[in-house]
Amino acid sequence: MALLIACGETSSLPYHIALLRFLNGTFDTIKRDISQIVVSIFCCQHKIHENARICGGESLLSSSFEDLLTTIGKKCQLSAQDYFPQKKNFDDGRDPHVVFNVLDTMLKDNLERLKIMRESISFSKKGLLGLKFQDIHTEHIAVVRDLCLEGKLGAALCLRRKMMQKGFVPDVFTHNYLVNGLCRSGDMEKAAWLIREMLEMGPLPNHVTYNTFIKGYCLFDNIDKALDLFSTMINSAIRPNRVTWNILVHALCRKGILEEDIMLLQEILNDNDKESPDVVTSTIFMDSYFKNGDMVQALSVWDKMIQKCTEVDVVAYNVLIHGFCMSQDLKLANRYVCEMLKKGLLPDVYTYNTLIGALCKEGNFSESYYIIKVMSKMGVIPDQISYQLIIQGLCLKGDVVKASELLLFMLENSMVPEPLVWNYIIYFYGRQGDLSSAFSLRDQMFAFGVPPNVFTYNALIHAQVKRGDIEGAFSLREEMLLYGLSPDVVTYNLLIGAACNSGNLHFALLLHDEMLSRGYKPDIITYTELIRGQCMKGNMKKALKLFSCMRKSGLLNDHIPFQIIIKKYCKLGKRVIASNLYQKWLASKVDDNS
């Protein structure tokens, strides 16, 4: 009773009712404190404004938290109705033992309710934090994958490391993104390190991981490493599958290996996979036979596919059509295009481009234009390669005007070609001596946001040199440097040749020294131009010295520079020296061949 009076409870009430009110007040206080804790959790996790606070005893909670507190409050609220009959004439003079028994029961029940309330709040806090962490890590995984696709592998690996430091290990799917990105960039050592970490720390690599790793080695022609990894897979829990086999077969066929090694791989694979070679494997073999010129073997593979009722796809037909186009058998190529359509397989852009390329080689440009129209009607949009094939064919035929018109058609249809197409037309304008059209096209490149490259300037320099405008050629070289483009071996050869033809050997040798300082190695053309320039000046000793340097540098013992020297000695009337040099050259050719 003293405790009740100290807490402000009136002594006029029965003591058990007063005690009930005291307990209810205590639990209301606890509930308000818990509501403040929940609000702080909610504000922290969802970044509510800093001024969020509890005003007037009412919590600034979302509906979900209000429901939570309401539920907890109902579970933990004391009510006398649960324990005493509702009688207006309730008399305090009843049996005190009954009252104390009731109060004892009330205390036990409410202690249980306090436990439930504490567990509910703890569970809610844990759920909120767990959900938040899960959302953060899901976002991080998505960022890692996006960074891999963009080629920003350093940032992706850094984010992975931070996630693992916080105890979250990305799944194997995300790690496969990283392995694929590293293999595509050629960083095979780091890819191997990542797979070792997966084996040590998890997640364990799967078929996709190893197949991606093997494909990376094959991509950079390291077939030995790929085969070693294949052997490792055989002795591990992850056995090679059809994808592994197809990757290795494609790499071996590309290297020209078709028989023994591939059959050995087939035997190893058959231990795990009793199925016959699928359409992918057969297509790889067929393509390799076509490229090696073995038409009989290629068609044999095709016949086996048809006999085994293999479901042939568009890719297999494309390989077959491409093989016939390589042998210039357009009738058979068109026949199988018709067969595709009869089977309900629609030709794709690769199919049409194969036909366009073959027609352009034959000079049949009218038929090429017709195929472009057919593509559009069939719902296949011609791509840059479609137009590029026709433009190259027209340029080789000498019809640069039509090629330029087709380029204009592409621009009018919002298809800006790559620099290669522009360079082709510029080069052939220069060959025809039409420098004004060549420079006009160069200006159009700038206007359409296509920056000219080294090949563009080489084509223009070649046109200037051919025209005899040496100053114009050298000014283009200065323009290249202003745009941040470094001259290559072709650029230097053109300028050295121009300087030698104009008799300016000193400048030619300066260009040769500059070429060496930039890390470029002179080729046969470089030495031929310098030898011609020395011979024009009558500096035969220097010409022979250059020829000797050419041989020591490991270049082929070409006859053109030596022929220039022999002819010059003959013009000078020194036929004996010319004959002796010729005999020495023949002897050196025999030594080189042996």
Side-chain angles (χ1 to χ4, degrees):
M1 288 299 296
L3 176 64
L4 296 175
I5 294 170
C7 294
E9 297 293 345
T10 175
S11 60
S12 61
L13 294 172
Y15 68 88
H16 51 273
I17 299 298
L19 180 60
L20 182 63
R21 288 182 58 184
F22 167 70
L23 292 173
N24 272 333
T26 303
F27 281 109
D28 286 339
T29 303
I30 294 172
K31 189 170 72 175
R32 282 196 300 271
D33 293 340
I34 292 173
S35 68
Q36 292 178 1
I37 295 171
V38 174
V39 169
S40 64
I41 295 169
F42 181 76
C43 294
C44 177
Q45 296 299 321
H46 295 272
K47 298 180 181 179
I48 296 178
H49 193 272
E50 293 179 358
N51 294 326
R53 64 185 185 277
I54 299 175
C55 301
E58 295 182 358
S59 304
L60 296 175
L61 299 170
S62 63
S63 59
S64 59
F65 280 99
E66 290 174 356
D67 294 341
L68 174 64
L69 289 179
T70 303
T71 304
I72 295 172
K74 287 180 180 179
K75 289 182 180 180
C76 301
Q77 184 66 38
L78 293 174
S79 177
Q81 296 173 359
D82 297 335
Y83 301 95
F84 294 101
Q86 293 181 350
K87 291 182 180 180
K88 291 183 180 179
N89 58 349
F90 181 78
D91 187 5
D92 190 34
R94 303 176 66 180
D95 186 356
H97 294 290
V98 175
V99 174
F100 280 111
N101 287 339
V102 169
L103 290 174
D104 185 54
T105 303
M106 290 172 61
L107 284 171
K108 288 180 180 178
D109 288 349
N110 282 283
L111 287 172
E112 185 67 28
R113 286 171 179 164
L114 264 177
K115 180 182 177 183
I116 293 171
M117 181 165 58
R118 182 181 63 192
E119 290 175 351
S120 300
I121 296 300
S122 177
F123 175 78
S124 301
K125 180 179 178 181
K126 182 179 178 182
L128 285 170
L129 293 173
L131 180 62
K132 185 64 179 177
F133 289 149
Q134 186 65 35
D135 289 342
I136 291 172
H137 290 309
T138 302
E139 291 176 3
H140 286 176
I141 285 174
V143 171
V144 168
R145 295 174 184 175
D146 289 340
L147 289 171
C148 291
L149 293 174
E150 294 173 6
K152 300 175 181 177
L153 299 171
L157 289 169
C158 182
L159 184 56
R160 168 191 171 271
R161 185 176 65 252
K162 289 182 179 179
M163 291 172 68
M164 295 187 72
Q165 286 172 353
K166 292 183 179 180
F168 188 89
V169 180
D171 57 11
V172 67
F173 188 60
T174 307
H175 277 84
N176 288 343
Y177 268 83
L178 290 164
V179 173
N180 182 57
L182 292 169
C183 290
R184 288 179 64 183
S185 66
D187 196 346
M188 302 305 297
E189 290 185 4
K190 191 165 283 187
W193 161 81
L194 183 61
I195 292 175
R196 285 195 300 270
E197 275 214 347
M198 291 174 69
L199 291 169
E200 293 174 3
M201 304 172 62
L204 291 176
N206 58 11
H207 278 100
V208 178
T209 315
Y210 283 110
N211 289 342
T212 304
F213 199 29
I214 289 174
K215 188 177 180 181
Y217 280 127
C218 293
L219 187 66
F220 291 93
D221 290 330
N222 198 339
I223 306 298
D224 292 336
K225 284 277 189 180
L227 292 173
D228 288 342
L229 191 56
F230 178 78
S231 302
T232 303
M233 288 182 69
I234 293 170
N235 299 321
S236 66
I238 301 176
R239 309 287 285 179
N241 58 7
R242 278 287 165 190
V243 177
T244 321
W245 155 256
N246 289 333
I247 291 170
L248 287 170
V249 167
H250 185 260
L252 291 170
C253 288
R254 201 170 57 193
K255 295 284 285 186
I257 303 170
L258 285 171
E259 299 296 338
E260 296 181 0
D261 289 342
I262 292 179
M263 296 309 296
L264 178 61
L265 288 174
Q266 179 68 67
E267 290 177 7
I268 295 171
L269 186 66
N270 283 341
D271 291 339
N272 305 300
D273 189 353
K274 300 299 182 183
E275 297 179 5
S276 59
D278 59 5
V279 65
V280 177
T281 311
S282 300
T283 303
I284 292 170
F285 276 123
M286 188 168 60
D287 180 57
S288 183
Y289 283 126
F290 273 127
K291 288 178 179 177
N292 289 333
D294 196 342
M295 182 75 72
V296 176
Q297 286 289 345
L299 294 177
S300 174
V301 174
W302 175 264
D303 292 337
K304 287 178 182 178
M305 291 171 66
I306 301 301
Q307 289 170 7
K308 292 179 180 179
C309 298
T310 305
E311 190 174 345
V312 183
D313 58 6
V314 175
V315 178
Y317 270 105
N318 285 344
V319 169
L320 184 66
I321 292 165
H322 183 257
F324 287 126
C325 288
M326 285 174 67
S327 61
Q328 291 299 301
D329 194 343
L330 284 174
K331 288 185 179 180
L332 278 175
N334 286 316
R335 172 189 161 188
Y336 281 100
V337 171
C338 295
E339 185 178 304
M340 285 179 69
L341 293 168
K342 287 179 182 178
K343 289 187 176 182
L345 296 172
L346 294 178
D348 57 13
V349 68
Y350 183 84
T351 317
Y352 289 114
N353 287 346
T354 302
L355 294 172
I356 290 171
L359 289 168
C360 289
K361 284 182 180 179
E362 288 189 346
N364 193 346
F365 296 102
S366 59
E367 192 72 21
S368 300
Y369 283 116
Y370 173 73
I371 290 180
I372 291 283
K373 293 178 182 179
V374 170
M375 290 174 69
S376 302
K377 290 180 181 179
M378 295 291 290
V380 181
I381 300 174
D383 60 2
Q384 290 207 22
I385 296 176
S386 311
Y387 292 105
Q388 178 182 319
L389 289 168
I390 300 177
I391 288 173
Q392 287 179 351
L394 289 169
C395 288
L396 290 170
K397 189 183 177 182
D399 198 346
V400 189
V401 176
K402 280 191 176 180
S404 186
E405 289 174 358
L406 189 57
L407 172 64
L408 182 61
F409 175 79
M410 293 176 68
L411 296 172
E412 289 173 351
N413 286 274
S414 302
M415 186 181 290
V416 180
E418 296 178 354
L420 176 65
V421 178
W422 300 84
N423 294 342
Y424 241 92
I425 302 175
I426 289 172
Y427 174 73
F428 281 94
Y429 268 133
R431 281 186 60 175
Q432 292 182 357
D434 191 351
L435 278 174
S436 60
S437 297
F439 278 101
S440 175
L441 202 58
R442 191 274 308 269
D443 295 338
Q444 272 189 301
M445 288 180 73
F446 279 115
F448 281 93
V450 182
N453 55 24
V454 177
F455 303 101
T456 314
Y457 280 99
N458 285 345
L460 293 170
I461 290 171
H462 180 264
Q464 295 280 34
V465 170
K466 188 177 179 181
R467 193 179 183 182
D469 189 354
I470 309 301
E471 291 182 3
F474 286 117
S475 66
L476 284 170
R477 170 182 170 272
E478 298 301 321
E479 187 177 318
M480 286 177 68
L481 296 172
L482 287 174
Y483 284 111
L485 297 172
S486 297
D488 60 2
V489 176
V490 177
T491 316
Y492 282 110
N493 287 344
L494 289 169
L495 295 173
I496 288 171
C500 290
N501 290 332
S502 65
N504 195 344
L505 275 177
H506 177 70
F507 189 67
L509 292 172
L510 286 177
L511 288 170
H512 173 263
D513 295 339
E514 181 183 314
M515 182 180 180
L516 293 173
S517 66
R518 287 181 176 269
Y520 296 114
K521 290 183 178 181
D523 57 11
I524 292 177
I525 297 174
T526 316
Y527 283 109
T528 302
E529 294 296 337
L530 289 171
I531 288 169
R532 178 183 285 112
Q534 295 291 0
C535 289
M536 287 174 64
K537 288 287 188 178
N539 301 327
M540 302 310 296
K541 288 184 179 180
K542 291 182 179 179
L544 288 171
K545 185 178 180 180
L546 284 168
F547 185 77
S548 177
C549 290
M550 184 184 77
R551 290 196 61 197
K552 288 179 181 178
S553 62
L555 297 173
L556 294 173
N557 198 354
D558 192 68
H559 71 282
I560 295 177
F562 194 77
Q563 195 175 40
I564 293 170
I565 296 172
I566 296 293
K567 284 184 177 179
K568 183 62 179 179
Y569 272 117
C570 290
K571 285 183 179 179
L572 293 173
K574 299 179 180 180
R575 297 184 182 276
V576 176
I577 297 176
S579 177
N580 290 335
L581 286 173
Y582 181 70
Q583 294 299 325
K584 286 182 181 179
W585 182 70
L586 288 177
S588 66
K589 290 286 288 183
V590 173
D591 293 338
D592 291 340
N593 292 330
S594 61

